[in-house]
Amino acid sequence: MSVVRKTKSVNTLTTIFNESTSALSVVNLVNRLKSQMNKTTVYRVLERLENDGMLHSFIGVDGLKWYAKCTEDEETHQNHTHPHFQCNDCGKVECLDVTITIPAIKNKQIESANFLITGQCENCK
Ligand SMILES: [Zn+2]
Ligand SMILES: [Zn+2]
């Protein structure tokens, strides 16, 4: 895996996530940054930020990959995870501030779990 240095691309994406309160899809980010960086760079930077623990990713209703900023108390999330909410009307995706505890499952080592809740957000209700 090639090392992405602390480049302008990393800074650009970090800033976008720092300014955003909701999750962002990869497709959205690629479109938004079209004039500044190519698709491969966007993917690579997102992967790097996820490995660094700044972002976490999950899959939305349409199979798209979404990224959101991790909050501090998520750093110790071994058997804890939070669900994500996707609005069926405006498409907004957010991290929900609740914790789901995954029970230990015999003979299985859990690495990740996805909880996607769909419905109408506060603006579309
Ligand atoms: Zn909505
Ligand atoms: Zn989240």
Side-chain angles (χ1 to χ4, degrees):
M1 190 78 63
S2 66
V3 176
V4 182
R5 268 161 294 163
K6 189 105 184 124
T7 55
K8 211 175 146 211
S9 328
V10 173
N11 286 333
T12 306
L13 277 152
T14 306
T15 308
I16 290 174
F17 279 98
N18 282 337
E19 285 168 357
S20 173
T21 50
S22 51
L24 299 161
S25 75
V26 176
V27 172
N28 174 295
L29 289 165
V30 168
N31 282 335
R32 195 155 146 184
L33 298 167
K34 231 174 357 207
S35 59
Q36 296 172 60
M37 59 184 95
N38 65 39
K39 203 170 157 176
T40 316
T41 307
V42 176
Y43 277 87
R44 205 178 297 152
V45 172
L46 289 171
E47 218 168 81
R48 142 95 190 258
L49 293 176
E50 185 174 15
N51 289 339
D52 284 355
M54 189 212 156
L55 301 178
H56 60 279
S57 64
F58 52 93
I59 305 295
V61 277
D62 33 19
L64 292 178
K65 199 167 186 184
W66 292 76
Y67 281 90
K69 217 175 100 179
C70 290
T71 55
E72 265 97 343
D73 58 347
E74 264 185 301
E75 272 167 29
T76 50
H77 66 196
Q78 283 269 293
N79 286 340
H80 292 91
T81 191
H82 61 263
H84 294 98
F85 182 89
Q86 182 155 19
C87 177
N88 286 328
D89 292 355
C90 69
K92 187 169 84 168
V93 178
E94 293 170 293
C95 296
L96 294 178
D97 195 15
V98 293
T99 300
I100 291 177
T101 305
I102 303 162
I105 299 167
K106 211 178 161 190
N107 299 328
K108 303 274 187 284
Q109 191 192 328
I110 298 165
E111 287 177 350
S112 69
N114 271 304
F115 295 98
L116 185 72
I117 299 167
T118 60
Q120 273 76 44
C121 76
E122 57 279 16
N123 297 321
C124 300
K125 215 164 41 172

